[in-house]
């Protein structure tokens, strides 16, 4: 039986934004998504991806690092520093302790925004901050899981540690100017985050859909779950991860990558079929989640094609990332920010539909337009960047007050 550690006195923090991890990390990730894309847009059109390999980071790798280890890890930290409290019934960091976790992340992001693609002493400092941030996050997530011996979270714990290794490898490769290893660390980090998205999505989407349709009453519509599909998706994703990150240089790996990517896509399309209810299409907080999984599945179909030369790897990856790391995280932040501040998830801000439509347009611009009109690459890229900035600007404007204000029910959190 799990034990509940009750605090000796009611918790308090200097500001509501430090009451629980999701508040400061979701809001800051939203702001950073805007600033980093503005910076990336400047780098894109100022350099056209040309760089000095001695004194500068390859522009693509700057962008990849900040999206994966900057934006992505902030979202994972915010979610887990909130969700683990529910999973384990153990207290999570708040107040100045939470601020101590957040500040290294913020400092590293500020350095990368100011420094751009330049490599200098500040880059080393950013690395120290990045590693420190993730060590603190991993410690405070793993500690309560270990305290209650919650073995079902071993997959989450493993991904946290692998993401730490990915960060370390990135900075090692950066110090040694090893572009191949740097690319591998970014690729591994990206797929680990996709794995976290698949794991968390599988846990919460059925519940969100059932409760989102119930509108506060009894759950009358149940969605189906398949343990077989869950296991097949996990095995297929692991095989794909190994093939694309570690074996891609081998000629026969195209078969492993292709077959495993198709299996990932098919298993998740079947999951979506089981999770589909017609009522979701009138609720933006639900159809956005469903479409994000659908976009990831289409992305894995494209990843199955790239070894055969039908599509380039970057475009296929963006099909997965813009759905799973773009639309999914926006949808999750939009819902969690309501539920964990005591607000009704059935009455989101009126802008949420527009926010999600903007992110769908990002996907269509970067993936579809980028594929069928590849000769206009920079045009499609600029359109996608514009819609990304608009989506996150609307999110920040719509949710800043919610994330900065106390819970509506008077509880702490």
């Amino acid at each position: 039986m799990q034990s509940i550690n009750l605090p000796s006195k009611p918790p308090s923090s200097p500001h509501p934004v430090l009451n629980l991890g999701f508040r400061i990390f979701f809001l800051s990730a939203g702001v950073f998504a805007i600033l980093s894309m503005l910076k990336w847009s400047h780098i894109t059109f100022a350099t056209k991806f040309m760089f000095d390999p001695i004194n500068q980071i390859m522009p693509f790798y700057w962008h990849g690092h900040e999206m994966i280890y900057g934006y992505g890890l902030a979202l994972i930290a915010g979610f887990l520093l909130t969700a683990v409290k529910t999973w384990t019934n153990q207290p999570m960091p708040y107040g100045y302790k939470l601020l101590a976790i957040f500040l290294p992340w913020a400092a590293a992001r500020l350095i990368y925004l100011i420094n751009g693609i330049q490599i200098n002493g500040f880059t080393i400092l950013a690395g120290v901050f990045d590693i420190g941030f993730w060590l603190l996050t991993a410690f405070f997530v793993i500690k309560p899981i270990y305290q209650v011996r919650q073995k079902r979270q071993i997959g989450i714990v493993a991904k946290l540690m692998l993401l730490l290794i990915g960060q370390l490898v990135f900075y090692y490769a950066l110090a040694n100017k090893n572009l191949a290893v740097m690319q591998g660390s970014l690729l591994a980090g990206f797929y680990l985050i996709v794995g976290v998205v698949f794991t968390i999505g599988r846990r919460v989407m059925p519940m969100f859909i059932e409760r989102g349709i119930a509108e506060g009453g009894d759950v009358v519509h149940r969605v189906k779950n398949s343990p077989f599909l869950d296991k097949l998706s996990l095995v297929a994703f692991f095989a794909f991860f190994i093939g694309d990150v570690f074996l891609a240089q081998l000629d026969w790996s195209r078969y492993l990558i292709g077959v495993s990517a198709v299996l990932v896509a098919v298993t998740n399309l079947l999951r979506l079929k089981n999770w589909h209810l017609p009522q979701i299409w009138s609720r933006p907080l639900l159809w956005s989640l469903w479409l994000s999984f659908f976009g990831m599945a289409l992305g894995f179909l494209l990843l199955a094609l790239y070894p055969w030369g039908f599509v380039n790897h970057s475009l296929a990856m963006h099909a997965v990332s813009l759905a799973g790391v773009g639309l999914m995280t926006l949808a999750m932040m939009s819902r969690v920010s309501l539920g964990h501040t005591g607000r009704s998830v059935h009455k989101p801000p009126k802008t949420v539909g527009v926010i999600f439509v903007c992110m769908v347009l990002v996907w269509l611009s970067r993936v579809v337009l980028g594929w069928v009109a590849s000769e206009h690459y920079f045009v499609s890229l600029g359109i996608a960047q514009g819609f990304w900035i608009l989506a996150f600007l609307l999110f920040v404007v719509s949710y800043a007050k919610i994330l900065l204000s106390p819970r509506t029910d008077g509880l702490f959190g």
Side-chain angles (χ1 to χ4, degrees):
M1 180 179 293
Q2 292 182 180
S3 61
I4 301 176
N5 295 335
L6 296 176
S8 57
K9 61 179 180 179
S12 63
S13 71
H15 191 279
V17 79
L18 295 173
N19 284 3
L20 208 52
F22 77 94
R23 288 177 174 270
I24 192 167
F25 278 109
F26 284 7
L27 182 58
S28 299
V31 173
F32 176 70
I34 298 168
L35 297 177
S36 64
M37 192 56 68
L38 286 170
K39 185 71 174 182
W40 175 232
S41 181
H42 169 73
I43 291 172
T44 297
F45 293 98
T47 69
K48 295 295 177 70
F49 309 130
M50 301 297 291
F51 73 107
D52 173 4
I54 303 299
N55 300 304
Q56 294 178 325
I57 304 173
M58 181 184 286
F60 289 119
Y61 294 172
W62 180 94
H63 174 57
H65 183 269
E66 289 308 278
M67 286 293 100
I68 296 164
Y69 293 113
Y71 174 80
L73 293 198
L75 265 297
I76 292 174
F79 183 85
L80 291 180
L81 290 171
T82 302
V84 170
K85 180 181 180 181
T86 302
W87 297 345
T88 65
N89 287 323
Q90 300 295 308
M92 295 301 288
Y94 60 86
Y96 290 113
K97 188 180 291 186
L98 177 59
L99 184 63
I101 301 172
F102 167 76
L103 285 178
W105 175 85
R109 306 289 68 76
L110 184 62
I111 290 172
Y112 271 101
L113 286 172
I114 295 173
N115 229 23
I117 61 175
Q118 301 302 318
I119 300 175
N120 50 38
F122 289 106
T123 311
I124 299 172
L125 186 59
V128 173
F129 284 135
D130 267 337
I131 301 303
F133 155 65
W134 202 241
L135 281 171
L136 287 170
T137 300
F139 173 78
F140 283 108
V141 169
I142 295 171
K143 180 183 175 183
I145 291 174
Y146 175 77
Q147 286 175 329
V148 300
R149 306 296 194 272
Q150 204 168 71
K151 294 180 180 180
R152 69 187 298 261
Q153 310 301 351
I154 190 65
I156 292 292
V157 171
K159 291 182 180 73
L160 292 179
M161 300 313 297
L162 288 172
L163 283 166
L164 174 62
I165 294 172
Q167 275 274 45
L168 290 168
V169 171
F170 175 84
Y171 282 106
Y172 169 82
L174 183 61
N176 290 278
K177 307 295 190 298
N178 191 324
L179 296 180
V181 174
M182 203 182 304
Q183 181 186 37
S185 71
L186 292 174
L187 200 59
F190 170 66
Y191 288 139
L192 285 168
I193 290 177
V194 171
V196 172
V197 170
F198 274 136
T199 300
I200 300 300
R202 166 60 184 85
R203 291 186 185 183
V204 303
M205 272 188 63
M207 176 187 67
F208 283 177
I209 290 172
E210 291 172 352
R211 294 183 181 179
I213 290 174
E215 294 194 2
D218 295 332
V219 174
V220 294
H221 297 282
R222 296 286 184 182
V223 298
K224 299 176 183 178
N225 288 305
S226 168
F228 171 75
L229 288 178
D230 294 342
K231 293 174 183 177
L232 183 57
S233 177
L234 180 63
V235 171
F237 181 75
F238 180 75
F240 173 81
F241 178 92
I242 297 298
D244 203 32
V245 176
F246 298 106
L247 305 176
Q249 301 304 317
L250 302 176
D251 186 61
W252 59 265
S253 69
R254 68 176 67 185
Y255 301 102
L256 175 63
I257 293 170
V259 172
S260 58
V262 168
L263 282 175
V264 172
V266 171
T267 53
N268 282 283
L269 287 172
L270 291 173
R271 277 174 163 177
L272 284 174
K273 177 180 177 294
N274 291 339
W275 295 342
H276 182 267
L277 293 171
Q279 295 92 329
I280 68 173
W281 298 107
S282 62
R283 295 163 173 83
L285 291 180
L286 298 183
W287 62 251
S288 56
L289 290 170
W290 198 93
L291 278 184
S292 67
F293 250 69
F294 182 69
M296 283 197 292
L298 293 182
F300 271 94
L301 288 177
L302 292 178
L303 284 168
L305 294 175
Y306 100 82
W308 308 94
F310 293 106
V311 62
N312 70 64
H313 193 260
S314 175
L315 187 140
M317 283 181 58
H318 277 82
V320 176
S321 66
L322 292 174
V325 186
L327 181 57
M328 173 66 85
T329 57
L330 269 175
M332 291 288 288
M333 287 193 295
S334 298
R335 191 196 188 282
V336 170
S337 297
L338 295 175
H340 282 279
T341 57
R343 292 166 173 82
S344 172
V345 297
H346 304 292
K347 297 178 181 179
K350 297 184 185 300
T351 53
V352 293
V354 180
I355 293 171
F356 302 147
V357 167
C358 284
M359 189 52 66
V360 171
L361 291 173
V362 174
W363 195 94
L364 292 173
S365 302
R366 182 64 180 87
V367 179
V368 178
L369 186 59
W371 193 10
V372 301
S374 58
E375 68 275 15
H376 301 297
Y377 170 78
F378 285 102
V379 174
S380 64
L381 186 61
I383 294 172
Q385 290 171 341
F387 278 120
W388 172 283
I389 292 167
L390 180 58
F392 280 95
L393 182 62
L394 288 172
F395 171 79
V396 171
V397 170
S398 302
Y399 278 86
K401 185 177 180 180
I402 293 171
L403 293 168
L404 292 170
S405 302
R407 285 181 62 104
T408 57
D409 53 14
L411 298 176
F412 182 83

